[in-house]
mmCIF file of all heavy atoms in Angstrom:
data_model
loop_
_atom_site.group_PDB
_atom_site.id
_atom_site.type_symbol
_atom_site.label_atom_id
_atom_site.label_comp_id
_atom_site.label_asym_id
_atom_site.label_seq_id
_atom_site.Cartn_x
_atom_site.Cartn_y
_atom_site.Cartn_z
ATOM 1 N N ALA A 1 91.213 179.166 -124.807
ATOM 2 C CA ALA A 1 90.633 177.919 -125.329
ATOM 3 C C ALA A 1 91.181 176.699 -124.592
ATOM 4 O O ALA A 1 90.670 175.587 -124.759
ATOM 5 C CB ALA A 1 90.925 177.792 -126.822
ATOM 6 N N ALA A 2 92.207 176.908 -123.795
ATOM 7 C CA ALA A 2 92.836 175.798 -123.078
ATOM 8 C C ALA A 2 92.180 175.587 -121.723
ATOM 9 O O ALA A 2 91.319 176.362 -121.287
ATOM 10 C CB ALA A 2 94.334 176.065 -122.915
ATOM 11 N N SER A 3 92.615 174.532 -121.026
ATOM 12 C CA SER A 3 92.104 174.216 -119.692
ATOM 13 C C SER A 3 92.828 175.049 -118.648
ATOM 14 O O SER A 3 94.061 175.042 -118.585
ATOM 15 C CB SER A 3 92.316 172.724 -119.402
ATOM 16 O OG SER A 3 92.223 172.460 -118.016
ATOM 17 N N MET A 4 92.062 175.749 -117.816
ATOM 18 C CA MET A 4 92.657 176.546 -116.751
ATOM 19 C C MET A 4 93.409 175.659 -115.761
ATOM 20 O O MET A 4 94.514 175.991 -115.308
ATOM 21 C CB MET A 4 91.568 177.343 -116.021
ATOM 22 C CG MET A 4 92.070 178.130 -114.816
ATOM 23 S SD MET A 4 93.269 179.397 -115.259
ATOM 24 C CE MET A 4 92.183 180.548 -116.136
ATOM 25 N N ARG A 5 92.828 174.509 -115.420
ATOM 26 C CA ARG A 5 93.481 173.630 -114.457
ATOM 27 C C ARG A 5 94.784 173.066 -115.015
ATOM 28 O O ARG A 5 95.768 172.936 -114.286
ATOM 29 C CB ARG A 5 92.542 172.507 -114.025
ATOM 30 C CG ARG A 5 91.390 172.982 -113.164
ATOM 31 C CD ARG A 5 90.807 171.863 -112.333
ATOM 32 N NE ARG A 5 90.295 170.763 -113.153
ATOM 33 C CZ ARG A 5 89.891 169.602 -112.668
ATOM 34 N NH1 ARG A 5 89.928 169.365 -111.367
ATOM 35 N NH2 ARG A 5 89.430 168.661 -113.461
ATOM 36 N N ALA A 6 94.805 172.736 -116.302
ATOM 37 C CA ALA A 6 96.038 172.240 -116.902
ATOM 38 C C ALA A 6 97.120 173.322 -116.871
ATOM 39 O O ALA A 6 98.292 173.043 -116.584
ATOM 40 C CB ALA A 6 95.787 171.791 -118.337
ATOM 41 N N TRP A 7 96.735 174.563 -117.143
ATOM 42 C CA TRP A 7 97.685 175.682 -117.120
ATOM 43 C C TRP A 7 98.227 175.888 -115.702
ATOM 44 O O TRP A 7 99.430 176.027 -115.502
ATOM 45 C CB TRP A 7 96.993 176.931 -117.641
ATOM 46 C CG TRP A 7 97.870 178.147 -117.759
ATOM 47 C CD1 TRP A 7 98.935 178.312 -118.609
ATOM 48 C CD2 TRP A 7 97.739 179.369 -117.018
ATOM 49 N NE1 TRP A 7 99.466 179.575 -118.431
ATOM 50 C CE2 TRP A 7 98.764 180.238 -117.475
ATOM 51 C CE3 TRP A 7 96.861 179.814 -116.039
ATOM 52 C CZ2 TRP A 7 98.924 181.528 -116.962
ATOM 53 C CZ3 TRP A 7 97.017 181.100 -115.537
ATOM 54 C CH2 TRP A 7 98.032 181.936 -115.994
ATOM 55 N N LEU A 8 97.337 175.916 -114.728
ATOM 56 C CA LEU A 8 97.760 176.101 -113.339
ATOM 57 C C LEU A 8 98.620 174.928 -112.864
ATOM 58 O O LEU A 8 99.592 175.122 -112.122
ATOM 59 C CB LEU A 8 96.540 176.254 -112.426
ATOM 60 C CG LEU A 8 95.808 177.588 -112.500
ATOM 61 C CD1 LEU A 8 94.510 177.527 -111.700
ATOM 62 C CD2 LEU A 8 96.681 178.737 -112.005
ATOM 63 N N TYR A 9 98.277 173.731 -113.293
ATOM 64 C CA TYR A 9 99.071 172.573 -112.894
ATOM 65 C C TYR A 9 100.488 172.675 -113.447
ATOM 66 O O TYR A 9 101.462 172.346 -112.758
ATOM 67 C CB TYR A 9 98.428 171.270 -113.362
ATOM 68 C CG TYR A 9 99.183 170.042 -112.905
ATOM 69 C CD1 TYR A 9 98.992 169.524 -111.633
ATOM 70 C CD2 TYR A 9 100.130 169.428 -113.734
ATOM 71 C CE1 TYR A 9 99.703 168.411 -111.198
ATOM 72 C CE2 TYR A 9 100.844 168.321 -113.312
ATOM 73 C CZ TYR A 9 100.618 167.827 -112.037
ATOM 74 O OH TYR A 9 101.330 166.738 -111.598
ATOM 75 N N GLY A 10 100.607 173.129 -114.685
ATOM 76 C CA GLY A 10 101.927 173.307 -115.265
ATOM 77 C C GLY A 10 102.772 174.279 -114.456
ATOM 78 O O GLY A 10 103.971 174.058 -114.236
ATOM 79 N N ILE A 11 102.156 175.367 -113.986
ATOM 80 C CA ILE A 11 102.865 176.334 -113.141
ATOM 81 C C ILE A 11 103.215 175.699 -111.802
ATOM 82 O O ILE A 11 104.349 175.808 -111.312
ATOM 83 C CB ILE A 11 102.007 177.594 -112.929
ATOM 84 C CG1 ILE A 11 101.793 178.322 -114.259
ATOM 85 C CG2 ILE A 11 102.663 178.534 -111.913
ATOM 86 C CD1 ILE A 11 100.808 179.469 -114.183
ATOM 87 N N ALA A 12 102.244 175.021 -111.187
ATOM 88 C CA ALA A 12 102.472 174.381 -109.885
ATOM 89 C C ALA A 12 103.584 173.337 -109.981
ATOM 90 O O ALA A 12 104.389 173.176 -109.052
ATOM 91 C CB ALA A 12 101.188 173.736 -109.386
ATOM 92 N N ARG A 13 103.636 172.643 -111.083
ATOM 93 C CA ARG A 13 104.659 171.609 -111.280
ATOM 94 C C ARG A 13 106.059 172.225 -111.250
ATOM 95 O O ARG A 13 106.974 171.679 -110.640
ATOM 96 C CB ARG A 13 104.395 170.931 -112.623
ATOM 97 C CG ARG A 13 105.003 169.549 -112.781
ATOM 98 C CD ARG A 13 104.459 168.932 -114.061
ATOM 99 N NE ARG A 13 104.915 167.564 -114.231
ATOM 100 C CZ ARG A 13 105.534 167.131 -115.315
ATOM 101 N NH1 ARG A 13 105.797 167.950 -116.308
ATOM 102 N NH2 ARG A 13 105.898 165.875 -115.406
ATOM 103 N N ARG A 14 106.215 173.371 -111.915
ATOM 104 C CA ARG A 14 107.521 174.041 -111.917
ATOM 105 C C ARG A 14 107.856 174.613 -110.538
ATOM 106 O O ARG A 14 109.008 174.559 -110.094
ATOM 107 C CB ARG A 14 107.540 175.133 -112.985
ATOM 108 C CG ARG A 14 107.541 174.585 -114.407
ATOM 109 C CD ARG A 14 107.757 175.663 -115.427
ATOM 110 N NE ARG A 14 106.615 176.553 -115.522
ATOM 111 C CZ ARG A 14 105.568 176.356 -116.303
ATOM 112 N NH1 ARG A 14 105.497 175.252 -117.043
ATOM 113 N NH2 ARG A 14 104.575 177.223 -116.354
ATOM 114 N N VAL A 15 106.841 175.154 -109.867
ATOM 115 C CA VAL A 15 107.059 175.671 -108.507
ATOM 116 C C VAL A 15 107.489 174.540 -107.578
ATOM 117 O O VAL A 15 108.423 174.694 -106.777
ATOM 118 C CB VAL A 15 105.780 176.357 -107.976
ATOM 119 C CG1 VAL A 15 105.894 176.637 -106.472
ATOM 120 C CG2 VAL A 15 105.519 177.667 -108.726
ATOM 121 N N ALA A 16 106.817 173.395 -107.676
ATOM 122 C CA ALA A 16 107.157 172.249 -106.824
ATOM 123 C C ALA A 16 108.574 171.764 -107.105
ATOM 124 O O ALA A 16 109.317 171.407 -106.177
ATOM 125 C CB ALA A 16 106.151 171.113 -107.046
ATOM 126 N N TRP A 17 108.956 171.765 -108.371
ATOM 127 C CA TRP A 17 110.314 171.343 -108.726
ATOM 128 C C TRP A 17 111.345 172.268 -108.090
ATOM 129 O O TRP A 17 112.347 171.800 -107.532
ATOM 130 C CB TRP A 17 110.463 171.347 -110.244
ATOM 131 C CG TRP A 17 111.847 170.940 -110.692
ATOM 132 C CD1 TRP A 17 112.344 169.677 -110.832
ATOM 133 C CD2 TRP A 17 112.927 171.818 -111.043
ATOM 134 N NE1 TRP A 17 113.655 169.710 -111.255
ATOM 135 C CE2 TRP A 17 114.039 171.004 -111.390
ATOM 136 C CE3 TRP A 17 113.055 173.205 -111.112
ATOM 137 C CZ2 TRP A 17 115.259 171.542 -111.793
ATOM 138 C CZ3 TRP A 17 114.280 173.739 -111.510
ATOM 139 C CH2 TRP A 17 115.366 172.921 -111.840
ATOM 140 N N ARG A 18 111.091 173.554 -108.128
ATOM 141 C CA ARG A 18 112.021 174.507 -107.514
ATOM 142 C C ARG A 18 112.072 174.315 -105.998
ATOM 143 O O ARG A 18 113.137 174.412 -105.384
ATOM 144 C CB ARG A 18 111.631 175.947 -107.856
ATOM 145 C CG ARG A 18 111.898 176.323 -109.301
ATOM 146 C CD ARG A 18 111.886 177.823 -109.471
ATOM 147 N NE ARG A 18 110.612 178.412 -109.102
ATOM 148 C CZ ARG A 18 109.600 178.595 -109.948
ATOM 149 N NH1 ARG A 18 109.714 178.217 -111.209
ATOM 150 N NH2 ARG A 18 108.482 179.146 -109.535
ATOM 151 N N GLN A 19 110.917 174.044 -105.397
ATOM 152 C CA GLN A 19 110.873 173.832 -103.949
ATOM 153 C C GLN A 19 111.693 172.606 -103.565
ATOM 154 O O GLN A 19 112.472 172.630 -102.612
ATOM 155 C CB GLN A 19 109.426 173.651 -103.482
ATOM 156 C CG GLN A 19 108.605 174.925 -103.470
ATOM 157 C CD GLN A 19 108.758 175.682 -102.166
ATOM 158 O OE1 GLN A 19 109.469 175.263 -101.268
ATOM 159 N NE2 GLN A 19 108.087 176.812 -102.073
ATOM 160 N N ARG A 20 111.517 171.532 -104.313
ATOM 161 C CA ARG A 20 112.252 170.299 -104.002
ATOM 162 C C ARG A 20 113.739 170.473 -104.250
ATOM 163 O O ARG A 20 114.567 170.023 -103.467
ATOM 164 C CB ARG A 20 111.714 169.125 -104.831
ATOM 165 C CG ARG A 20 110.279 168.733 -104.530
ATOM 166 C CD ARG A 20 109.983 167.322 -105.017
ATOM 167 N NE ARG A 20 110.316 167.138 -106.417
ATOM 168 C CZ ARG A 20 109.483 167.379 -107.422
ATOM 169 N NH1 ARG A 20 108.268 167.845 -107.175
ATOM 170 N NH2 ARG A 20 109.852 167.155 -108.666
ATOM 171 N N ARG A 21 114.083 171.129 -105.327
ATOM 172 C CA ARG A 21 115.488 171.351 -105.673
ATOM 173 C C ARG A 21 116.164 172.233 -104.626
ATOM 174 O O ARG A 21 117.302 171.994 -104.228
ATOM 175 C CB ARG A 21 115.574 172.016 -107.048
ATOM 176 C CG ARG A 21 116.983 172.172 -107.585
ATOM 177 C CD ARG A 21 116.913 172.535 -109.056
ATOM 178 N NE ARG A 21 118.257 172.695 -109.616
ATOM 179 C CZ ARG A 21 118.821 173.863 -109.879
ATOM 180 N NH1 ARG A 21 118.173 174.975 -109.622
ATOM 181 N NH2 ARG A 21 120.028 173.928 -110.398
ATOM 182 N N GLY A 22 115.450 173.247 -104.156
ATOM 183 C CA GLY A 22 116.014 174.148 -103.166
ATOM 184 C C GLY A 22 116.108 173.521 -101.794
ATOM 185 O O GLY A 22 116.866 173.969 -100.944
ATOM 186 N N GLY A 23 115.345 172.449 -101.569
ATOM 187 C CA GLY A 23 115.313 171.821 -100.254
ATOM 188 C C GLY A 23 116.358 170.743 -100.057
ATOM 189 O O GLY A 23 116.383 170.093 -99.016
ATOM 190 N N GLY A 24 117.202 170.511 -101.049
ATOM 191 C CA GLY A 24 118.271 169.523 -100.904
ATOM 192 C C GLY A 24 117.725 168.123 -100.807
ATOM 193 O O GLY A 24 117.200 167.582 -101.777
ATOM 194 N N ARG A 25 117.780 167.546 -99.602
ATOM 195 C CA ARG A 25 117.374 166.150 -99.429
ATOM 196 C C ARG A 25 115.940 166.028 -98.943
ATOM 197 O O ARG A 25 115.608 165.085 -98.241
ATOM 198 C CB ARG A 25 118.309 165.461 -98.441
ATOM 199 C CG ARG A 25 119.729 165.337 -98.964
ATOM 200 C CD ARG A 25 120.573 164.528 -98.025
ATOM 201 N NE ARG A 25 121.901 164.306 -98.575
ATOM 202 C CZ ARG A 25 122.850 163.621 -97.964
ATOM 203 N NH1 ARG A 25 122.614 163.097 -96.762
ATOM 204 N NH2 ARG A 25 124.028 163.469 -98.515
ATOM 205 N N ARG A 26 115.094 166.971 -99.348
ATOM 206 C CA ARG A 26 113.692 166.893 -98.953
ATOM 207 C C ARG A 26 113.068 165.599 -99.472
ATOM 208 O O ARG A 26 113.533 165.023 -100.441
ATOM 209 C CB ARG A 26 112.954 168.094 -99.545
ATOM 210 C CG ARG A 26 112.127 168.844 -98.533
ATOM 211 C CD ARG A 26 111.588 170.103 -99.161
ATOM 212 N NE ARG A 26 112.122 171.247 -98.488
ATOM 213 C CZ ARG A 26 112.092 172.465 -98.969
ATOM 214 N NH1 ARG A 26 111.599 172.702 -100.144
ATOM 215 N NH2 ARG A 26 112.579 173.460 -98.279
ATOM 216 N N GLN A 27 112.005 165.189 -98.859
ATOM 217 C CA GLN A 27 111.361 163.925 -99.242
ATOM 218 C C GLN A 27 111.074 163.882 -100.729
ATOM 219 O O GLN A 27 110.608 164.857 -101.307
ATOM 220 C CB GLN A 27 110.019 163.784 -98.506
ATOM 221 C CG GLN A 27 110.146 163.513 -97.024
ATOM 222 C CD GLN A 27 108.784 163.453 -96.396
ATOM 223 O OE1 GLN A 27 107.932 164.285 -96.669
ATOM 224 N NE2 GLN A 27 108.582 162.481 -95.542
ATOM 225 N N ARG A 28 111.331 162.726 -101.306
ATOM 226 C CA ARG A 28 110.967 162.507 -102.703
ATOM 227 C C ARG A 28 109.451 162.339 -102.809
ATOM 228 O O ARG A 28 108.761 162.178 -101.811
ATOM 229 C CB ARG A 28 111.664 161.249 -103.228
ATOM 230 C CG ARG A 28 113.186 161.405 -103.285
ATOM 231 C CD ARG A 28 113.819 160.120 -103.781
ATOM 232 N NE ARG A 28 113.356 159.791 -105.129
ATOM 233 C CZ ARG A 28 113.885 160.311 -106.226
ATOM 234 N NH1 ARG A 28 114.874 161.171 -106.148
ATOM 235 N NH2 ARG A 28 113.416 159.967 -107.414
ATOM 236 N N LEU A 29 108.952 162.380 -104.032
ATOM 237 C CA LEU A 29 107.504 162.327 -104.248
ATOM 238 C C LEU A 29 106.890 161.059 -103.665
ATOM 239 O O LEU A 29 105.810 161.099 -103.078
ATOM 240 C CB LEU A 29 107.204 162.403 -105.751
ATOM 241 C CG LEU A 29 105.738 162.370 -106.160
ATOM 242 C CD1 LEU A 29 104.985 163.535 -105.513
ATOM 243 C CD2 LEU A 29 105.597 162.444 -107.667
ATOM 244 N N GLU A 30 107.598 159.930 -103.775
ATOM 245 C CA GLU A 30 107.037 158.691 -103.228
ATOM 246 C C GLU A 30 106.751 158.822 -101.738
ATOM 247 O O GLU A 30 105.697 158.414 -101.262
ATOM 248 C CB GLU A 30 108.004 157.521 -103.468
ATOM 249 C CG GLU A 30 108.134 157.093 -104.912
ATOM 250 C CD GLU A 30 109.171 157.914 -105.655
ATOM 251 O OE1 GLU A 30 109.663 158.910 -105.099
ATOM 252 O OE2 GLU A 30 109.482 157.550 -106.791
ATOM 253 N N ASP A 31 107.699 159.377 -100.995
ATOM 254 C CA ASP A 31 107.539 159.529 -99.556
ATOM 255 C C ASP A 31 106.479 160.569 -99.236
ATOM 256 O O ASP A 31 105.714 160.428 -98.285
ATOM 257 C CB ASP A 31 108.863 159.937 -98.911
ATOM 258 C CG ASP A 31 109.930 158.870 -99.062
ATOM 259 O OD1 ASP A 31 109.557 157.683 -99.107
ATOM 260 O OD2 ASP A 31 111.110 159.226 -99.152
ATOM 261 N N ALA A 32 106.418 161.649 -100.059
ATOM 262 C CA ALA A 32 105.463 162.718 -99.787
ATOM 263 C C ALA A 32 104.030 162.220 -99.927
ATOM 264 O O ALA A 32 103.170 162.554 -99.126
ATOM 265 C CB ALA A 32 105.702 163.884 -100.741
ATOM 266 N N VAL A 33 103.773 161.400 -100.960
ATOM 267 C CA VAL A 33 102.418 160.894 -101.145
ATOM 268 C C VAL A 33 102.055 159.931 -100.025
ATOM 269 O O VAL A 33 100.980 159.994 -99.429
ATOM 270 C CB VAL A 33 102.276 160.203 -102.520
ATOM 271 C CG1 VAL A 33 100.925 159.523 -102.641
ATOM 272 C CG2 VAL A 33 102.448 161.233 -103.631
ATOM 273 N N ALA A 34 102.992 159.035 -99.698
ATOM 274 C CA ALA A 34 102.716 158.045 -98.663
ATOM 275 C C ALA A 34 102.505 158.688 -97.300
ATOM 276 O O ALA A 34 101.717 158.202 -96.490
ATOM 277 C CB ALA A 34 103.863 157.041 -98.582
#
């Protein structure tokens, strides 16, 4: 009954957090978007 995109985004959000955390000083979100 829920949104598939919202569910996938929640998973992607956690994956992205792990990627950034594991990358040490990788670009912050502001720099990545710009």
Side-chain angles (χ1 to χ4, degrees):
S3 162
M4 176 63 70
R5 290 202 300 171
W7 184 66
L8 286 172
Y9 183 82
I11 295 172
R13 201 171 184 234
R14 290 188 290 272
V15 168
W17 179 82
R18 288 197 300 270
Q19 286 273 0
R20 295 199 306 271
R21 186 167 180 256
R25 294 186 175 180
R26 230 173 243 164
Q27 289 178 315
R28 294 179 61 83
L29 180 59
E30 290 86 351
D31 296 329
V33 173

